[in-house]
Amino acid sequence: MDGSVNTTTKPTKAVIYCRVSSKAQEVTGHGLESQETRCRQFAQAKGYDVAAVFPDTITGGGDFMKRPGMVALLSFLDAQPDERYVVIFDDLKRFARDRDFHFRLRDAFRQRDASVECLNFTFEDTPEGEFIETILAAQGQLERKQNGRQVAQKMKARMQNGYWIHNAPIGYRYQTEKGRGKVLIPNPPFDSIIREAFEGYASGRFGSQAEVTRFFESIPEFPRNKHGRVNQQRTTDILTHPAYAGYICSERYGLNWLKAQHEPLISLETFDKVQAMRSGTAKAPKRRNIGDQFALRGIATCACCDTPLRSCVSKGKGGLYPYYLCQTKGCEAYGKSIPRDKIEGEVGEIVKALTPTESLITLTTQMFKDAWAMRSDQAKANIAAGKRRLASIEREIEQVLARIMDTNNDTVIRAYEDKLAKLERDKAKQSENLANQMPAKGAFDKKLELALRFLANPWKLWETGHVQARRLVLKLAFGGPIAYCRNKRARTPKISIPFKVLGDVSGGEFFYGAAGEN
């Protein structure tokens, strides 16, 4: 093609190009269907036969070769080089909202011997016509950029008000609320999955990010990529997303640790622990494979060598036989097994003896109230100190902002911006610490009820037989390991502080003291 235009033959065939900027516009008055209807009416009035319609749902800015509908239209013209077509547009803004690409597209049609007609604009190949077309193309580009700027300003303002504006993170979904617009709310069951992942990583249940990924993959309904997998990048994006802790951060808009309007799934403390784990500055606590059959695994020790007893399951003719044993070579109890039910039954007798009298429970209640009052006084002092620290951080932020305004050095500005981000982070952490200092109203009664229920009868929880419940009893009732001797049974372990105090008050009468040596 030499770029010349055949002006001797008037075209009788037409193609229609329709474009909207988004899916939402397809159903409005300026949607694709209404554009096509008007263009067909225009073609009919001009006596053109419409050969094809090419729609696009894409922004008009930028390269027109990135629009699938326009690419298809040009390919259609290329496939029929001997035919002359009129390309019909509903509005000049549907042509191109970029001045340079507007005239490149005009040249592309000229090279294919196609003319262009618009319902509300007449193209003229004259200097005056080209001038007017240039002005209108530039106006379309100006409007597009102004609209983009306005949208960006509104998005930034909404984020500054604490509202997340991008795609909802996994574990959340959007809900429209009167007066607030679209707000993130927890999305079951994914919210509990995300919470479990964070808390599991922070506590050491998951020793690495790879284990978190495998946890996600173990859940069939968890979102996957097109290959049906949960990749490491998705896990990284989740574990580093401040929105889960209830904060808004945006590098694009320069926002750092703004308190969000939506409900957090985890605490900022948990989020910080996860970041420390990821960076290697914190180590996961040592994890024991306690299994699901042995309540004393990692708690019971050999009385001869003070080494934790191992747990095993032996298979015999009558079925499976669980037992504990010492596997320390050189120990006199090496290899000698102890039936699980025997040792756990004897420890249960110790637990059963930890039952204080009614008068001791009354005394304990008063002790709790006194301790709670002291804690409340301490909390007030901590709040006062925290407010002073918060005010100090805010003053530092104001100073850094003033320094940023006073300098033109890009390197210095970046350094100040990094410091500002750190201060905003400290401010968010200090604010959360303040919010957690004072207990909620009625919290004392609830916690006291649970504590007294356990202190009054720890045997009731042990008697359930659940391994995790029994391990909880051991953790709360005893202050250390339980030494066990095959010949002398379980030695009385070190009693935890609450029970020890009760024992001291009562003279130790309610403790199980005949089980073995102290």
Side-chain angles (χ1 to χ4, degrees), residues 63-119:
D63 191 352
F64 55 83
M65 292 305 290
K66 293 181 180 179
R67 300 189 226 160
M70 183 58 73
V71 171
L73 190 158
L74 295 175
S75 299
F76 177 84
L77 298 178
D78 289 338
Q80 303 176 79
D82 298 329
E83 294 284 351
R84 290 197 64 209
Y85 286 91
V86 176
V87 182
I88 300 176
F89 294 82
D90 170 70
D91 188 276
L92 191 62
K93 294 177 182 179
R94 309 300 171 191
F95 192 76
R97 302 196 70 181
D98 185 287
R99 183 195 59 218
D100 293 337
F101 283 112
H102 175 99
F103 288 102
R104 290 184 191 180
L105 184 55
R106 289 276 275 130
D107 290 338
F109 286 137
R110 288 194 187 97
Q111 292 172 8
R112 292 163 174 81
D113 202 15
S115 57
V116 181
E117 294 189 19
C118 182
L119 274 63

Side-chain angles (χ1 to χ4, degrees), residues 129-410:
E130 184 177 342
F131 174 76
I132 294 174
E133 188 177 343
T134 301
I135 295 298
L136 293 177
Q139 181 184 3
Q141 176 175 295
L142 174 63
E143 290 177 357
R144 176 177 60 83
K145 290 187 175 181
Q146 286 177 328
N147 289 341
R149 181 178 62 190
Q150 187 177 35
V151 169
Q153 289 172 342
K154 289 181 178 179
M155 293 173 70
K156 180 177 181 179
R158 184 158 177 79
M159 292 191 77
Q160 287 175 324
N161 288 330
Y163 294 96
W164 185 249
I165 61 172
H166 305 298
N167 292 335
I170 298 173
Y172 285 104
R173 65 179 177 85
Y174 279 111
Q175 176 176 285
T176 302
E177 297 182 3
K178 187 176 180 179
R180 302 179 70 198
K182 291 185 176 181
V183 181
L184 289 178
I185 63 170
N187 183 28
F190 302 110
D191 57 339
S192 60
I193 295 172
I194 296 297
R195 188 181 295 110
E196 185 176 353
F198 270 98
E199 293 176 351
Y201 197 6
S203 66
R205 172 187 165 194
F206 304 125
S208 66
Q209 185 169 304
E211 288 190 32
V212 177
T213 301
R214 287 193 289 272
F215 166 69
F216 288 147
E217 287 189 327
S218 69
I219 302 170
E221 63 268 26
F222 197 82
R224 285 161 163 73
N225 59 20
K226 62 181 180 180
H227 303 295
R229 296 184 58 82
V230 179
N231 55 35
Q232 288 289 339
Q233 186 58 49
R234 167 160 286 183
T235 304
T236 299
D237 293 342
I238 290 173
L239 295 178
T240 57
H241 206 319
Y244 291 117
Y247 289 91
I248 298 291
C249 293
S250 174
E251 186 175 342
R252 177 190 300 179
Y253 298 121
L255 304 178
N256 295 298
W257 298 97
L258 299 179
K259 187 65 177 175
Q261 296 285 350
H262 62 263
E263 175 188 343
L265 297 185
I266 59 170
S267 67
L268 186 58
E269 181 182 4
T270 299
F271 184 84
D272 285 344
K273 286 182 180 179
V274 169
Q275 306 320 304
M277 297 285 287
R278 292 185 64 256
S279 64
T281 56
K283 295 183 179 180
K286 186 177 180 180
R287 295 178 295 139
R288 296 187 178 96
N289 178 20
I290 64 172
D292 58 357
Q293 301 182 49
F294 299 90
L296 294 175
R297 178 72 184 271
I299 298 175
T301 62
C302 175
C304 299
C305 64
D306 292 330
T307 303
L309 296 176
R310 297 289 189 91
S311 57
C312 300
V313 177
S314 176
K315 188 174 182 180
K317 292 182 179 181
L320 300 177
Y321 299 92
Y323 59 90
Y324 293 88
L325 77 164
C326 178
Q327 290 188 331
T328 303
K329 292 184 178 180
C331 177
E332 61 181 83
Y334 174 69
K336 297 178 180 179
S337 62
I338 310 167
R340 180 196 63 186
D341 294 343
K342 180 177 183 294
I343 181 174
E344 292 188 4
E346 293 176 9
V347 172
E349 290 298 319
I350 300 177
V351 173
K352 191 174 183 178
L354 299 177
T355 305
T357 63
E358 188 67 30
S359 59
L360 283 176
I361 290 296
T362 302
L363 178 61
T364 303
T365 302
Q366 186 58 48
M367 290 168 58
F368 270 113
K369 289 181 178 180
D370 293 341
W372 191 268
M374 293 176 62
R375 181 185 181 280
S376 297
D377 292 339
Q378 182 62 45
K380 292 177 182 178
N382 292 340
I383 289 175
K387 287 181 177 179
R388 291 193 295 271
R389 173 56 183 155
L390 192 60
S392 175
I393 293 174
E394 290 175 344
R395 287 194 296 271
E396 288 186 66
I397 290 174
E398 291 177 0
Q399 292 172 359
V400 172
L401 287 172
R403 290 170 183 171
I404 290 176
M405 298 296 294
D406 291 340
T407 183
N408 295 320
N409 188 301
D410 291 340

Side-chain angles (χ1 to χ4, degrees), residues 41-60:
Q41 292 172 348
F42 178 84
Q44 184 179 8
K46 290 277 191 161
Y48 300 139
D49 293 327
V50 177
V53 178
F54 298 92
D56 259 327
T57 303
I58 193 170
T59 178

Side-chain angles (χ1 to χ4, degrees), residues 222 399 452 461 477 491:
F222 197 82
Q399 292 172 359
L452 292 179
L461 188 59
R491 293 179 178 176

